[in-house]
Amino acid sequence: MLASIVLGAAVGIGCGVVSGLIPGIHANTVAGLLLSLQAILLAWFDPVVIASAMFATLVTHTFLDCVPSTFLGIPDADTSLAVLPAHTLCLEGRGEEAVRISALGSAAGVALSLPLAAAFILALPALQSAIDWGIGLVILAVAGYLIVVSESPGWALAVFAVSGILGLFSLGYAFLAWPAAGESGVLMPLLSGLFGIAVLLKASHGAMPAQDFAGLDLPRSALRRGSLLGSAAGALVGWLPGLSNATANALLTSVVGYDSNPREYILATSAANTVNAFLGLAAFYAIARTRNGVMAAIAAFEEMPPATAVLLAGAIAAVGAYLLTVLLSRAAWRFSGIDIKGLNYAVIAFVVLLSLLLCGPFGGLVLILATAVGYVPSLVNIRRVYCMGAIMVPVMAYSFGLA
């Protein structure tokens, strides 16, 4: 079985590199492709290889998705808020540092995943029904706190509410999108408009500064705090229904400011991203709930692979993904001297084209509306975190049984 695990992990690392580095392609997409080829693959490989490849792809993706968000400023569903401080550091010539901090956060998340998973499996299944309902109250409290302490509570509430309505509209009518990326594919134009194009339109011009790496400017206290907070947030969204990494990003802003502590925030959100993957696996095997497309694909197997085998494949993938992420971070110098305005316009054109290809005209409409909403915070001088209403409001509606 060990050979099957290692082979699956190797295949998953390769697939995760593709999904992590190419915006718009998610590990769920790869899992769906492997599932569609299941009949052919099972003729050559046992289920352990395929399931291990699926989970290894997800783990690898959580490490490498920081690369396009840092250097290009393109967010996906897992890097919606984290893209802001990471891309800012890149514009200051610290892009390699941002990617290395992200990789370190993901590695810390892997180390903390096992004790968190064990604690959750032992303590939470009996309380699951109460937890499912109460999560909406937790998110409502976090949103209320963020709005009250904002620079302008009135504008913060308005942006949160309007983005929330946009989120309900986008997800509620996702069936209008082309099926290329599935109904959840509308998250790509939604979050790219709110946190990608809206930011790039206001970005500075000139040439990209020289990318130099002079070590990690991250105190040990921030490393410990960010790792623990990020892992806790990732465990929360990994276990509970209806939540995502974008929700974890929003929750973390209440304790770690992405503008005041950008490096710690990058570390925390990366830890949350990876822990979410491992806790999603724990929730699947403990309470038979699928938290993402990868778990749904594994659930389709007639012969369920052992949890320990899939977990070991994920741990192997994490080691390989960490080394690859650090290696890719060293390519930061290639961005030195690039015209920022031209790069931003190229990225915007790519996002528009990708939204249309994945979601069709409906994706284009969502992208336009999201960009308009995402542009407001810079006009009224409030933080962009309030655009997370696009994710938080639908999650609250789901938790309260309203959607």
Side-chain angles (χ1 to χ4, degrees):
M1 181 179 289
L2 181 59
S4 297
I5 295 172
V6 173
L7 175 59
V11 172
I13 291 173
C15 293
V17 169
V18 174
S19 68
L21 295 181
I22 301 178
I25 299 179
H26 195 272
N28 293 339
T29 311
V30 177
L33 177 62
L34 292 175
L35 183 62
S36 67
L37 299 173
Q38 181 182 162
I40 298 174
L41 294 174
L42 286 177
W44 295 87
F45 307 105
D46 61 63
V48 172
V49 174
I50 305 172
S52 296
M54 290 177 176
F55 186 62
T57 298
L58 178 61
V59 172
T60 304
H61 182 99
T62 67
F63 276 81
L64 288 167
D65 61 358
C66 67
V67 176
S69 63
T70 298
F71 296 117
L72 302 179
I74 304 178
D76 64 13
D78 300 332
T79 61
S80 48
L81 274 176
V83 65
L84 301 177
H87 192 56
T88 299
L89 285 177
C90 181
L91 295 178
E92 295 174 356
R94 307 301 297 271
E96 182 175 350
E97 181 187 2
V99 173
R100 285 175 176 256
I101 289 175
S102 178
L104 184 61
S106 290
V110 174
L112 293 171
S113 290
L114 292 180
L116 283 171
F120 276 41
I121 290 173
L122 292 174
L124 296 187
L127 306 173
Q128 196 62 41
S129 59
I131 292 172
D132 291 346
W133 184 85
I135 188 57
L137 294 178
V138 174
I139 295 177
L140 180 61
V142 171
Y145 170 77
L146 291 174
I147 290 171
V148 169
V149 301
S150 69
E151 303 86 345
S152 175
W155 276 113
L157 177 60
V159 170
F160 183 85
V162 172
S163 63
I165 294 171
L166 178 60
L168 290 171
F169 167 76
S170 302
L171 296 172
Y173 290 91
F175 60 87
L176 296 175
W178 288 355
E183 290 195 0
S184 63
V186 296
L187 288 175
M188 189 270 169
L190 177 64
L191 296 175
S192 292
L194 292 171
F195 300 99
I197 293 181
V199 175
L200 295 176
L201 288 173
K202 292 283 290 184
S204 59
H205 303 309
M208 183 78 76
Q211 299 292 314
D212 297 316
F213 179 66
L216 302 183
D217 186 13
L218 189 71
R220 289 189 177 181
S221 58
L223 174 60
R224 289 192 297 267
R225 181 170 177 262
S227 298
L228 292 173
L229 290 174
S231 297
L236 184 71
V237 302
W239 186 274
L240 300 178
L243 305 186
S244 66
N245 284 313
T247 313
N249 290 181
L251 293 174
L252 285 169
T253 58
S254 63
V255 287
V256 182
Y258 63 77
D259 45 1
S260 57
N261 298 297
R263 291 170 174 81
E264 184 179 345
Y265 187 78
I266 294 170
L267 181 92
T269 51
S270 298
N273 196 5
T274 303
V275 170
N276 181 17
F278 281 89
L279 265 292
L281 181 70
F284 170 63
Y285 278 95
I287 57 177
R289 293 192 180 184
T290 55
R291 295 293 185 249
N292 52 58
V294 173
M295 296 303 109
I298 294 176
F301 284 95
E302 293 184 5
E303 181 185 346
M304 193 64 61
T308 51
V310 180
L311 185 64
L312 179 57
I316 294 172
V319 175
Y322 176 81
L323 296 175
L324 282 172
T325 306
V326 172
L327 179 64
L328 288 171
S329 73
R330 295 175 181 173
W333 63 270
R334 296 182 181 275
F335 289 85
S336 301
I338 291 179
D339 177 58
I340 296 177
K341 184 177 180 180
L343 178 63
N344 289 345
Y345 285 164
V347 169
I348 291 172
F350 175 76
V351 171
V352 171
L353 180 61
L354 191 62
S355 298
L356 293 174
L357 288 175
L358 292 178
C359 301
F362 184 72
L365 174 63
V366 170
L367 184 66
I368 292 172
L369 295 175
T371 301
V373 175
Y375 205 76
V376 173
S378 61
L379 297 177
V380 297
N381 197 30
I382 62 172
R383 291 186 297 163
R384 200 169 299 275
V385 65
Y386 305 107
C387 291
M388 285 306 298
I391 299 296
M392 299 174 79
V393 171
V395 169
M396 285 188 285
Y398 170 83
S399 178
F400 298 143
L402 301 176

